[in-house]
Amino acid sequence: MSDTRSGSPAVPGVSRRTLLKGTAAAAGVAVGSGAITGFPTIWAQNIKNITLRQIGTGVSNLNAVADKVKADLGFTLQMTALDSDAVTQRAATQPKSYDIADIEYWIAKKIFPAGVIQPMDVGKLKNFDKIVPIFVNGKLTPSSAIAQGTAPHSVGFVEGKDSTKFAKSPTQWMTLIPTIYNADTLGIRPDLVGRPISSWKDLLDPAFKGKASLLNIPSIGIMDAAMVCEAMGAVTYGDKGNMTKEEIDKTLAIMTEAKKAGQFRAFWKSFDESVNLMSSGEVIIQSMWSPAVAAVRAKGIPCVYQPLKEGYRAWGGGLGLAKHLSGLELDAAYEYINWYLSGWVGAYLNRQGYYSAVLDTAKQHMSADEWAFWMEGKPAKTDILNPEGKVMEKAGAVRDGGSFEERMGRVACWNAVMDEDRYMVRKWNEFIAA
C-alpha cells in the first residue's frame, strides 16, 4: 500500500463499476449527486424538516459531526451514545427507534441476519472505489494475511438487495458503510510501570497486581484475553477469533485465576472510565483506546499506547440504515453517508488517533504536518492539535506505533463474534462476577 500517503489505492481487482450491472450506477449516483454541495432543488424546502436518529457508541457519535451535518446538509442528526452491548440490544430489539445504526462489524454479525438493517447500494456511494481495501477484501495490501476474528469484509456484503445472508465476496450490496477503525493495544503509565512493556502477557505480570484493568465488553475483552494467554504460551488456539468451548474455558480460567489473585483493579466499559482509571494512577496498564491515551496526555500525565511484539487487536465500525427508512429520509441518509466519506469527518477522526475509511479525502482536510504525524509516523514539525484546537502533542513527537501501514499491517485479530458466542458471553459474565 505504498501509495496510501498520496491517496488511498483502489481495491485490487474490485471497483464500483465491476460490481454494478447495466444502468444501476447511473441511477444510483443520482441520489448522491448533491453531496456536499447541497440537495437537489426539489428537496430544499423540505430538507430542513428532516431529523435522522442515530445510535452508536461515544467513540463516533460526536456532537461536532451533528453540528457539521446541520451546517452542510441542512437536516438534523440526532445522536444517542450508548455502550456497545446496549447498542447491540437496541439495534436488534427496537429497530423503529433509530434510523441509522453506527455500529462495529462484530455487532453487524449479530444484528444483520435479523433483517433490521437494509443493504446499501454501492452505486450510490461516491467514494466506494477509495475505501481502504481491508473493508472490501480483508487485505491491507495484496500480499497481506487476513487476520483472525470477525474481519469487516467477512460481514461487509450480502448476496442481494433483500438478503440477510453475508456474501463470501464483494457484491453490489453492503451491510455497513465503513467509517472508523483502529489497531488497539495496551495503554501504560510509563512513569509508574517501572520497566519496558513489550508483550500482551505483561498485563498479568504480578508486579502490576491491583493496577491492571481489562475492557468489559465480551466480544472485545475475550480477544484481549486471548492475546494475553497466547503470548504467555498458556493456550494454543486453532483460531482465537472463533474459539472452541475448550479454548474459551482455558482462556477464562486463566483470567479468573488472575482476578482472584487481585491482578485487576477494575473492568471498564466506557471511554471515560478508562481515562479516569489511568489519570488517577489507580491503573497503570490496561486495555485502552488511542483517543483515551491522548485524553490522559492532554492532562499533562504521561501515558503511552504501547506497541507489542505480538501485534494489535483491530476493530472497525460503520453506518447502517434501518430497514424502515424510505423516501426523502432514505435519500437524506445516503447524502449523509456520502458527506461522511468526503473528508471533513475523516480528518476529524484521524486527529483523534483513529483512521478514516477513505484516506485521500481526509488528507485533503489535514495539513501536511498533521498527515505526516498521524499517517506516516514522522516526527511532528509543529505542535499537533486535537479536533478542538488544543495542543495534543508537542513538536518533535512521534505517534505511538508508527505509520498507518506499520500499525494496520500488524493486526493479529479483530473483535469477534464466534460460533460459540452465547457460551462465550455466559462464561465471560461468570468471570466478571467471580
Side-chain angles (χ1 to χ4, degrees):
M1 199 169 178
S2 59
D3 60 343
T4 299
R5 294 165 186 167
S6 60
S8 302
V11 179
V14 180
S15 70
R16 177 166 62 185
R17 183 171 299 155
T18 62
L19 294 178
L20 301 179
K21 299 177 181 179
T23 60
V29 296
V31 174
S33 62
I36 316 311
T37 57
F39 287 90
T41 304
I42 193 171
W43 297 347
Q45 61 184 353
N46 296 318
I47 201 66
K48 66 180 184 295
N49 297 321
I50 289 178
T51 296
L52 294 179
R53 302 161 299 163
Q54 178 172 307
I55 62 169
T57 67
V59 167
S60 51
N61 275 254
L62 306 166
N63 290 333
V65 172
D67 293 343
K68 189 66 171 170
V69 165
K70 186 69 174 179
D72 286 1
L73 302 181
F75 61 82
T76 299
L77 186 66
Q78 185 182 87
M79 291 181 168
T80 301
L82 306 165
D83 65 54
S84 296
D85 289 337
V87 169
T88 305
Q89 182 178 21
R90 182 162 171 180
T93 64
Q94 302 176 54
K96 293 294 182 68
S97 70
Y98 62 89
D99 303 308
I100 297 171
D102 182 358
I103 58 178
E104 292 181 55
Y105 279 88
W106 65 266
I107 297 176
K109 188 172 182 179
K110 287 192 170 188
I111 69 170
F112 207 90
V116 295
I117 303 291
Q118 61 177 285
M120 282 176 278
D121 186 348
V122 300
K124 297 180 181 180
L125 308 179
K126 294 180 68 177
N127 286 302
F128 175 80
D129 289 348
K130 298 176 183 178
I131 290 173
V132 173
I134 285 173
F135 295 98
V136 181
N137 62 21
K139 296 185 175 186
L140 185 64
T141 69
S143 60
S144 296
I146 296 175
Q148 296 177 348
T150 305
H153 78 289
S154 67
V155 292
F157 296 86
V158 286
E159 294 181 346
K161 180 179 180 180
D162 300 312
S163 177
T164 58
K165 185 177 180 180
F166 297 120
K168 294 182 179 180
S169 59
T171 70
Q172 185 180 333
W173 303 98
M174 293 191 86
T175 58
L176 303 176
I177 302 306
T179 55
I180 182 174
Y181 55 107
N182 208 350
D184 282 356
T185 183
L186 297 175
I188 65 168
R189 282 285 301 270
D191 56 326
L192 300 177
V193 292
R195 66 169 178 83
I197 301 297
S198 62
S199 172
W200 280 89
K201 69 181 181 181
D202 290 331
L203 184 69
L204 294 192
D205 186 335
F208 307 135
K209 180 179 177 180
K211 295 287 188 177
S213 181
L214 189 65
L215 174 58
N216 182 21
I217 299 173
S219 290
I220 306 174
I222 191 65
M223 301 309 294
D224 280 358
M227 292 293 285
V228 170
C229 292
E230 190 173 58
M232 293 170 62
V235 183
T236 300
Y237 300 94
D239 178 356
K240 58 182 171 290
N242 194 23
M243 299 181 201
T244 64
K245 287 183 178 180
E246 181 182 8
E247 289 169 343
I248 292 168
D249 288 345
K250 286 181 179 179
T251 302
L252 292 178
I254 291 167
M255 304 310 285
T256 300
E257 181 180 355
K259 182 185 178 188
K260 289 182 176 179
Q263 185 71 13
F264 298 110
R265 169 64 181 84
F267 300 92
W268 61 268
K269 276 197 171 187
S270 74
F271 174 97
D272 289 338
E273 287 179 288
S274 69
V275 172
N276 292 337
L277 286 167
M278 196 66 98
S279 299
S280 67
E282 293 179 67
V283 165
I284 62 176
I285 183 169
Q286 67 170 345
S287 305
M288 214 164 181
W289 297 333
S290 181
V293 172
V296 175
R297 284 208 290 251
K299 297 181 178 184
I301 299 169
C303 192
V304 172
Y305 208 38
Q306 185 62 43
L308 303 172
K309 61 185 179 183
E310 298 88 7
Y312 295 86
R313 172 189 52 74
W315 60 273
L319 301 175
L321 304 184
K323 186 75 170 180
H324 66 79
L325 267 185
S326 62
L328 186 59
E329 285 75 19
L330 179 59
D331 292 343
Y334 271 108
E335 196 77 6
Y336 166 54
I337 286 167
N338 277 320
W339 172 85
Y340 202 110
L341 297 181
S342 69
W344 184 90
V345 183
Y348 191 99
L349 296 175
N350 286 354
R351 292 186 187 105
Q352 288 190 308
Y354 299 124
Y355 293 121
S356 55
V358 178
L359 297 179
D360 65 347
T361 57
K363 183 178 183 180
Q364 294 166 19
H365 289 259
M366 301 175 74
S367 70
D369 191 38
E370 285 182 311
W371 184 262
F373 174 80
W374 289 114
M375 303 303 296
E376 297 178 350
K378 294 180 179 178
K381 294 181 179 179
T382 59
D383 288 350
I384 297 297
L385 307 181
N386 69 10
E388 286 71 45
K390 297 179 180 178
V391 175
M392 145 181 265
E393 298 286 357
K394 293 290 187 180
V398 177
R399 180 176 185 170
D400 299 329
S403 70
F404 173 79
E405 290 91 344
E406 289 172 311
R407 288 166 59 92
M408 292 308 300
R410 296 190 61 240
V411 169
C413 63
W414 293 85
N415 296 341
V417 173
M418 307 173 186
D419 293 343
E420 297 291 350
D421 180 67
R422 291 186 179 183
Y423 181 81
M424 184 278 290
V425 172
R426 177 166 63 83
K427 300 299 287 187
W428 177 271
N429 289 335
E430 290 175 2
F431 152 60
I432 294 297

